[in-house]
């Protein structure tokens, strides 16, 4: 094929408007009559319907990606059934993809020339990379950061997990779906200071 696609990774912390960017991009493609489709991992169960929804209220239907979904075979079947190769594939919450699924996306790009744009987090609440994000950093053709600002004015890089009292949590499962009630984006310095505060509170509680 003569089509030349690229695999993109656009990452940012929670609240950096990644999903809104995806949805406005999809709207622009629709207005221009371009062939595209939207997807997201089914692990994000906040919405019972198969939609990608931004915090600002806009949403769009999507295909769900399951843990055992072969994304290459899925795209191949859609392309053969419709006789249309998508110009663009937009994927939300890409950090939840497996390494193999990211490789399958790269194969779609290379074999069909579709452009695949993945939006997601770089790291979890402990600042460790997600599997999908790590693989995207390794093989994506283009990597861009969607920047946002910490309350102190610095750039956010940490997706801190908090409890109902706003205390920063340092232990727990890597994946815990939630919004502003469970996470807050911070710069590294504020995250360190909040963790120290949490440790001091725990120490005082144990000694009382």
């Amino acid at each position: 094929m003569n089509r030349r696609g690229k695999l993109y990774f656009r990452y940012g912390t929670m609240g950096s408007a990644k999903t809104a960017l995806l949805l406005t991009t999809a709207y622009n493609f629709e207005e221009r009559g371009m062939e595209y489709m939207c997807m997201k991992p089914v692990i994000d169960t906040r919405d019972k319907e198969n939609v990608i929804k931004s915090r600002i209220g806009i949403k769009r239907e999507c295909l769900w990606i399951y843990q055992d979904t072969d994304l290459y075979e899925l795209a191949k079947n859609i392309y053969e059934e419709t006789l249309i190769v998508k110009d663009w594939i937009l994927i939300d919450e890409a950090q939840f993809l497996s390494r193999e699924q990211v490789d399958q996306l790269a194969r779609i790009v290379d074999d069909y020339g579709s452009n695949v744009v993945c939006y997601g987090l770089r790291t979890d609440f402990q600042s460790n990379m997600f599997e999908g994000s790590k693989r995207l950093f390794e093989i994506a053709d283009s990597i861009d950061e969607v920047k946002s600002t910490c309350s102190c004015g610095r750039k956010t890089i940490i997706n801190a997990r908090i409890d109902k009292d706003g205390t920063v949590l340092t232990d727990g499962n890597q994946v815990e779906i939630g919004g502003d009630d469970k996470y807050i984006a911070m710069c590294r310095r504020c995250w360190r200071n909040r963790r120290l505060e949490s440790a001091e509170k725990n120490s005082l509680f144990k000694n009382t």
Side-chain angles (χ1 to χ4, degrees):
M1 281 196 178
N2 293 326
R3 294 161 56 105
R4 293 185 179 179
K6 287 185 178 182
L7 176 60
Y8 299 82
F9 184 34
R10 295 175 178 165
Y11 71 94
T13 54
M14 297 187 71
S16 59
K18 299 182 302 299
T19 300
L21 179 60
L22 181 156
L23 293 171
T24 54
T25 299
Y27 175 79
N28 288 332
F29 289 160
E30 192 171 277
E31 288 289 291
R32 293 159 60 188
M34 301 179 73
E35 293 292 337
Y36 75 95
M37 60 183 175
C38 298
M39 299 180 176
K40 79 169 183 179
V42 74
I43 192 170
D44 185 352
T45 56
R46 285 172 289 181
D47 296 306
K48 300 302 180 183
E49 53 185 339
N50 55 322
V51 298
I52 294 173
K53 185 168 68 174
S54 170
R55 299 181 187 204
I56 63 176
I58 56 177
K59 63 181 181 180
R60 186 172 291 267
E61 288 187 6
C62 68
L63 295 176
W64 269 341
I65 300 171
Y66 297 89
Q67 286 185 330
D68 60 350
T69 298
D70 185 319
L71 293 173
Y72 183 83
E73 288 300 319
L74 176 62
K76 178 182 176 182
N77 292 337
I78 291 174
Y79 293 175
E80 290 179 350
E81 182 179 333
T82 62
L83 301 179
I84 297 173
V85 174
K86 301 295 185 183
D87 299 311
W88 295 87
I89 299 174
L90 306 176
I91 299 180
D92 197 27
E93 305 287 5
Q95 71 271 9
F96 295 136
L97 297 173
S98 68
R99 178 186 178 90
E100 291 74 22
Q101 287 172 328
V102 174
D103 287 342
Q104 291 157 12
L105 293 175
R107 190 179 171 197
I108 294 170
V109 172
D110 296 340
D111 288 1
Y112 289 101
S114 297
N115 292 286
V116 178
V117 190
C118 296
Y119 297 81
L121 304 175
R122 177 176 60 175
T123 57
D124 61 20
F125 76 107
Q126 293 176 320
S127 74
N128 299 317
M129 269 197 179
F130 287 97
E131 179 181 346
S133 304
K134 182 177 185 297
R135 189 56 176 159
L136 282 164
F137 268 103
E138 291 169 344
I139 67 170
D141 298 298
S142 178
I143 300 172
D144 299 296
E145 183 177 11
V146 182
K147 297 179 181 179
S148 62
T149 304
C150 180
S151 59
C152 73
R154 295 182 177 85
K155 185 182 74 171
T156 60
I157 62 171
I158 303 293
N159 302 294
R161 185 180 294 170
I162 57 175
D163 63 15
K164 58 183 178 60
D165 298 317
T167 301
V168 171
L169 304 177
T170 56
D171 296 311
N173 295 328
Q174 184 181 51
V175 177
E176 184 173 330
I177 302 301
D180 294 338
D181 59 326
K182 290 186 178 180
Y183 293 94
I184 182 172
M186 300 179 182
C187 69
R188 184 177 57 248
R189 181 179 179 182
C190 287
W191 181 55
R192 181 197 65 191
N193 291 339
R194 289 282 291 271
R195 282 187 300 153
L196 290 173
E197 290 175 5
S198 297
E200 290 176 2
K201 287 181 182 178
N202 291 334
S203 178
L204 289 173
F205 178 77
K206 290 178 181 179
N207 293 328
T208 57

